[in-house]
Amino acid sequence: MDMRHTLGLLLFFSSIYLSSAAAQGPLEPVTMPGQCLQAGAFKPKKQADTLPKWLLQWHRARRGYIVTLTDCDQHRQQEWINDDGSLIGMEGELAALPFKQHVIPVIKKGRTLIKTFPIQWLQGRLVYKGRDGQTRCLIPKNRFHFEHALLEDCLQSPDLREKSHWYYAMPPSPGEEGKIGLAGIDSDQDGVRDDVQRFIASTFQDEPTEKMMPVSKMVMVRQEQLIHAYDKEKVLALLPQALASQYCFFHHTQDDFSRYRVLYKRVEAKLYNTYDRLKARNKINSYYGGMIVEDPGDYEKYCNQEPVNTPQFEDR
């Protein structure tokens, strides 16, 4: 049933586009800032003394390595496309090669004689299904060895939850400079401020991707409104997009809306984290006085960029 709401009520629920399929960039583990995953090594090493002979058949350009801050420089070997969960790099697909208690990430290109298992990025973890069919997550140990644990343990154990979590294509933390001005710093130009992008990834790190996606979309529109807070025409022109992203959020979180509402309130507090930004938000809200919005009922269609009719002002 359609319901007429004031925008103030609708924004109360919300006050409380980063597609994973297209995201590219280094995988950065949360417990090791400044490190990323790379296909292959920069420099040859004396590996004969440290690796089993059977592993040497995997050329160093075909293995996955953790590289340090000094090496993590956006080189093409550090770029990964998250293609429906699978990770594709310039040398091929990332796969797991179990070895005793360890897992060695390898870059699979075509068929190999040794059995490997595709590595996927799931709920912020690098995971694979082994011979027993159980999903295991990778835990960084050293430059190319990873340990593994059941995904349930990685999500439930506080220690493993931190060690096993990877940010995907996260920009660096802007620090105090990110608090300057309304726009802040958006180094990757994805429409979400760097500090907010990192906060969303951290807050929703254990949530399914479909829960985090509409949050990023909402923040993207609100960030644009924030930048143009003192341009009433621009802010109102963005309102249909803001409502569509909000409806999509309702659709994906209605199974546990109260909890996700609390999580989003934390994100919004991060978005408006300075006096100037709070002042600008109040200015934005002032433009909505006298406006009415109808509840569309069917929220799912707005996740596919279904346009929202421009809200009308009621006569006074």
Side-chain angles (χ1 to χ4, degrees), residues 124-126 137-140 154 160-166:
R125 271 82 190 168
L126 298 180
C137 68
L138 274 61
I139 305 167
C154 290
L160 292 180
R161 187 166 61 239
E162 291 186 8
K163 289 181 178 179
S164 64
H165 183 253
W166 292 71

Side-chain angles (χ1 to χ4, degrees), residues 130-149:
R131 297 180 187 277
D132 58 4
Q134 293 186 302
T135 302
R136 301 178 180 275
C137 68
L138 274 61
I139 305 167
K141 181 176 176 61
N142 57 36
R143 194 167 179 86
F144 66 91
H145 273 127
F146 287 67
E147 295 179 328
H148 60 84

Side-chain angles (χ1 to χ4, degrees), residues 15-288:
S15 66
I16 40 186
Y17 168 121
L18 190 59
S19 173
S20 62
Q24 298 186 47
L27 287 160
E28 178 189 344
V30 66
T31 53
M32 301 180 185
Q35 291 187 315
C36 58
L37 191 68
Q38 175 177 305
F42 279 116
K43 299 177 181 178
K45 292 184 177 293
K46 295 181 179 179
Q47 298 171 323
D49 296 332
T50 59
L51 298 180
K53 291 182 178 180
W54 58 264
L55 182 57
L56 292 177
Q57 65 96 25
W58 242 283
H59 188 271
R60 56 191 173 85
R62 292 282 194 270
R63 289 197 287 269
Y65 282 76
I66 297 177
V67 297
T68 59
L69 181 62
T70 54
D71 297 326
C72 192
D73 59 356
Q74 304 299 312
H75 189 279
R76 282 193 61 204
Q77 287 176 290
Q78 297 160 18
E79 292 183 355
W80 301 91
I81 297 175
N82 184 17
D83 185 8
D84 195 25
S86 297
L87 296 174
I88 311 297
M90 63 178 292
E91 296 289 344
E93 182 180 358
L94 190 63
L97 179 61
F99 174 61
K100 297 183 179 180
Q101 300 302 315
H102 303 290
V103 174
I104 299 174
V106 295
I107 316 303
K108 185 177 178 181
K109 194 172 186 178
R111 294 187 176 183
T112 60
L113 296 178
I114 300 177
K115 177 66 174 177
T116 61
F117 305 91
I119 291 178
Q120 296 184 318
W121 189 61
L122 177 66
Q123 292 186 246
R125 271 82 190 168
L126 298 180
V127 305
Y128 74 98
K129 282 189 177 181
R131 297 180 187 277
D132 58 4
Q134 293 186 302
T135 302
R136 301 178 180 275
C137 68
L138 274 61
I139 305 167
K141 181 176 176 61
N142 57 36
R143 194 167 179 86
F144 66 91
H145 273 127
F146 287 67
E147 295 179 328
H148 60 84
L150 294 176
L151 178 59
E152 309 90 82
D153 295 334
C154 290
L155 294 175
Q156 296 174 8
S157 166
D159 181 51
L160 292 180
R161 187 166 61 239
E162 291 186 8
K163 289 181 178 179
S164 64
H165 183 253
W166 292 71
Y167 287 132
Y168 193 88
M170 285 292 106
S173 173
E176 289 300 309
E177 292 184 9
K179 296 182 179 180
I180 299 175
L182 297 179
I185 297 176
D186 180 15
S187 61
D188 56 5
Q189 297 295 302
D190 68 343
V192 180
R193 220 169 58 221
D194 289 353
D195 59 323
V196 179
Q197 185 178 347
R198 294 179 66 89
F199 188 78
I200 291 173
S202 176
T203 302
F204 285 81
Q205 63 177 303
D206 298 322
E207 304 296 335
T209 303
E210 65 268 17
K211 307 292 187 182
M212 183 171 64
M213 179 189 67
V215 173
S216 295
K217 288 185 176 180
M218 281 199 295
V219 170
M220 191 181 301
V221 181
R222 280 155 180 74
Q223 172 69 15
E224 185 72 9
Q225 288 182 317
L226 180 61
I227 293 173
H228 300 282
Y230 297 96
D231 184 342
K232 181 177 180 180
E233 184 177 339
K234 180 68 173 180
V235 170
L236 293 180
L238 289 166
L239 183 55
Q241 296 179 45
L243 291 174
S245 65
Q246 183 171 286
Y247 294 152
C248 184
F249 175 71
F250 288 165
H251 167 67
H252 282 294
T253 60
Q254 56 189 336
D255 56 333
D256 194 1
F257 180 71
S258 296
R259 184 169 71 86
Y260 286 109
R261 176 173 170 263
V262 171
L263 292 179
Y264 179 70
K265 285 180 67 176
R266 296 175 188 169
V267 173
E268 194 169 61
K270 188 71 173 180
L271 179 62
Y272 305 108
N273 62 345
T274 67
Y275 173 78
D276 287 341
R277 290 167 183 168
L278 283 171
K279 184 179 177 181
R281 183 183 67 170
N282 291 336
K283 185 65 177 179
I284 292 170
N285 289 341
S286 72
Y287 300 146
Y288 302 142

